[in-house]
Amino acid sequence: MTTTDLNLREGPAPAFLKIETLGRGSELTVLEKQGKWWRVKSAASGAEGRINGTFVKPKA
C-alpha cells in the first residue's frame, strides 16, 4: 500500500461502512476491479470488501 492505513469498506465509496483498517504491508487478494474501487480479500483476517485501489501497488 502507498498509505499507512487503508479502510476496507462494505461498498465502493467512502460513505459505506468500514469493515476494518488495513495497515501498510497488508497482503490482499484482488477479486475484482471496477475503476478505482477494488473488491479484495484480506490475507490476515479473511474479510472481503472494497478498497480504493489507487493506494495499492503490487508486491515486488
Side-chain angles (χ1 to χ4, degrees), residues 3-57:
T3 185
T4 54
D5 294 316
L6 185 62
N7 292 324
L8 181 67
R9 298 193 173 276
E10 290 183 347
F16 283 90
L17 291 176
K18 180 173 69 172
I19 297 169
E20 69 180 78
T21 301
L22 304 167
R24 182 181 290 267
S26 295
E27 291 193 27
L28 305 170
T29 300
V30 178
L31 305 172
E32 177 184 12
K33 292 182 181 180
Q34 289 183 325
K36 70 178 183 177
W37 288 94
W38 300 1
R39 188 168 63 92
V40 300
K41 182 174 182 176
S42 167
S45 70
E48 290 186 24
R50 303 278 180 158
I51 59 165
N52 184 330
T54 59
F55 295 107
V56 179
K57 64 180 179 179

